[in-house]
Amino acid sequence: MKQWYQRRVRGEKTGGLRKSLKSLAEFEFIRAPHAVYGESDSFSWFYSNPATHNPLSYDCLSHSTEDPGFDESVKFIKNHLKESEPYDGIMAFSQGACFASMLLAMPDLPSPPSFVLLFCGFKSRITKHDCYYTQPFSTASLHVFGQNDLVIPTDMSEKLTACFKDATVLTHEGGHFVPTTAAVRNMCKEFLRRQSDSF
């Protein structure tokens, strides 16, 4: 299976988990197109303050009416999907998981994924994004998040899982990172095997 994944390069590492899954999936890294101000190796899919604001930033807790960069990121992903071989799934982290979930609601998304693995994901609070959550997602999904995440409150992750018809959920005692414990590795392997069997 081929899937694309997103990670925030600064601080968060998915290498350990991807290594344990290499017998089941081929990964391709897609970097978000927008730079994070003041952080040379961090990138964002969209911001949450007005486009006229300098510098642009993102606050996942904000009930903003603005999403500068969002449309550009959607166009970026659609163009990439048109030009590449089809992907079976998406693995994404934090804002990337939020962004990936909204892509599922876009009927014109080229080669929509059959499944998603979302780490520390959350439902966007930006009011312009409400339209992407009007119908439950039928895409197979695995959600992994920490009970002590100080960046994304647990209830925000739970609200995202509630948007999926048949979500598989695994929580851990850690915080805002991609865990590589045996429980997480085994759950991811089992999830990917189920998706492979359905092809």
Side-chain angles (χ1 to χ4, degrees):
M1 292 185 294
K2 183 180 180 183
Q3 58 184 315
W4 64 268
Y5 74 99
Q6 178 272 346
R7 66 180 175 91
R8 187 178 67 178
V9 179
R10 175 179 174 271
E12 304 300 339
K13 299 180 179 180
T14 60
L17 181 60
R18 287 185 287 113
K19 183 177 180 180
S20 70
L21 302 177
K22 65 180 182 180
S23 64
L24 296 170
E26 172 190 351
F27 294 90
E28 180 175 333
F29 170 56
I30 300 178
R31 191 182 73 183
H34 306 297
V36 174
Y37 178 79
E39 301 182 19
S40 61
D41 208 18
S42 291
F43 302 88
S44 178
W45 293 103
F46 53 93
Y47 306 102
S48 61
N49 53 357
T52 56
H53 192 273
N54 188 21
L56 289 168
S57 62
Y58 179 71
D59 178 5
C60 65
L61 302 178
S62 172
H63 292 274
S64 173
T65 59
E66 306 287 339
D67 64 351
F70 182 83
D71 291 341
E72 292 83 354
S73 290
V74 170
K75 182 178 180 181
F76 167 76
I77 286 296
K78 288 181 177 179
N79 287 339
H80 179 83
L81 293 177
K82 289 177 181 177
E83 297 170 358
S84 66
E85 295 181 4
Y87 295 90
D88 299 306
I90 299 173
M91 183 169 80
F93 170 76
S94 195
Q95 191 201 49
C98 172
F99 181 67
S101 70
M102 290 186 284
L103 290 176
L104 301 177
M106 300 179 186
D108 60 340
L109 184 71
S111 303
S114 299
F115 62 89
V116 292
L117 293 88
L118 305 179
F119 294 85
C120 303
F122 58 94
K123 181 180 178 181
S124 176
R125 289 184 172 182
I126 294 177
T127 56
K128 291 172 64 175
H129 297 167
D130 290 347
C131 61
Y132 299 113
Y133 301 103
T134 58
Q135 298 293 327
F137 302 125
S138 58
T139 306
S141 64
L142 172 61
H143 306 257
V144 181
F145 53 91
Q147 296 174 337
N148 293 296
D149 192 328
L150 300 180
V151 179
I152 307 298
T154 302
D155 69 298
M156 290 181 66
S157 292
E158 292 173 342
K159 286 180 179 178
L160 180 61
T161 64
C163 294
F164 287 79
K165 287 184 178 180
D166 296 302
T168 300
V169 181
L170 177 63
T171 62
H172 57 89
E173 295 182 355
H176 197 66
F177 60 86
V178 177
T180 57
T181 61
V184 172
R185 295 197 306 271
N186 291 337
M187 177 68 81
C188 289
K189 288 178 181 178
E190 177 59 28
F191 179 79
L192 289 177
R193 289 191 184 101
R194 293 202 306 269
Q195 307 319 308
S196 179
D197 292 342
S198 68
F199 291 157

